[in-house]
Amino acid sequence: IFRLAVGLVFIYSGYVKAIDPWGTLYKLREYVSVMHVSSLYSLLTVGTFMLFTVEFLIGVALVTGSYRRCAPRFAMLMMAFMLPLTLWIAIYNPVADCGCFGEALLLSNWATFWKNVVLVVMIAWLMKYNATIRCIIIPTVQVWSLSLSAAFVILLGFIGYNFQPLVDYRPYPAGGSLMAIDQEE
């Protein structure tokens, strides 16, 4: 259950960032701005694509039971960065929301921190016991599953970056009216 729960959270987080990479890029720019490290601006587009690809692949590996030792380690490595970051955000409130699930699911800064605490506990359990759980797919297919998953999520990001997001979670999607229906008449 832990493996599936953590994997699905990582897949969902990577997916919503991939379908709207501009939103993720804007959120990363906001982080860089409040941390006063604007020298990183030039790396943020690549960082955006790397972030959602790595998140999505960790999730796929966990859900399919692939790379049973490596997947929890990479998840914990990511959370070793994200947990202190979300604690800082929760305490000092420099940004309105963390952006972990893009515009699809807005969480308060403290809710994000506690979500990450729960994820770290589950990942710690997985680091100890995940190697004993059977894979859903055979080891010879694991490389293909991650390769195809990487191609899929990068293609989603490319489409969202160059055109429009496939799913628009923004409150005012492109082509929509900014006025309420009763105000238009």
Side-chain angles (χ1 to χ4, degrees):
I1 292 172
F2 283 1
R3 183 172 54 88
L4 291 176
V6 173
L8 290 173
V9 167
F10 271 74
I11 287 173
Y12 184 69
S13 179
Y15 174 77
V16 297
K17 287 177 182 136
I19 60 173
D20 185 14
W22 280 105
T24 305
L25 182 61
Y26 294 145
K27 184 53 77 172
L28 290 179
R29 284 181 181 168
E30 188 177 359
Y31 280 126
V32 166
S33 176
V34 298
M35 291 179 188
H36 307 293
V37 284
S38 58
S39 60
L40 297 177
Y41 267 20
S42 61
L43 301 174
L44 289 182
T45 303
V46 172
T48 297
F49 275 78
M50 286 179 54
L51 176 65
F52 67 68
T53 302
V54 168
E55 266 186 309
F56 192 82
L57 293 181
I58 289 171
V60 168
L62 287 169
V63 166
T64 60
S66 302
Y67 303 103
R68 294 173 295 175
R69 289 186 184 98
C70 294
R73 289 178 184 159
F74 280 115
M76 187 61 87
L77 185 64
M78 181 170 265
M79 294 311 294
F81 175 76
M82 293 298 181
L83 187 64
L85 177 67
T86 56
L87 177 61
W88 175 72
I89 291 169
I91 292 172
Y92 295 107
N93 207 27
V95 293
D97 69 280
C98 76
C100 9
F101 299 118
E103 296 290 324
L105 179 63
L106 299 176
L107 297 176
S108 72
N109 291 336
W110 279 107
T112 300
F113 171 72
W114 290 114
K115 171 202 57 105
N116 286 347
V117 168
V118 170
L119 283 175
V120 165
V121 168
M122 290 192 288
I123 294 168
W125 187 90
L126 287 173
M127 287 181 70
K128 182 169 180 152
Y129 296 108
N130 197 48
T132 62
I133 297 171
R134 297 194 63 200
C135 298
I136 293 175
I137 58 177
I138 59 174
T140 54
V141 179
Q142 291 176 5
V143 167
W144 286 103
S145 77
L146 286 188
S147 298
L148 291 174
S149 297
F152 168 74
V153 78
I154 290 169
L155 178 65
L156 280 179
F158 179 79
I159 291 169
Y161 187 80
N162 289 303
F163 305 106
Q164 282 288 324
L166 293 177
V167 180
D168 198 350
Y169 294 108
R170 295 175 294 188
Y172 301 107
S177 175
L178 296 177
M179 296 175 50
I181 292 172
D182 59 342
Q183 291 178 341
E184 289 180 2
E185 297 174 358

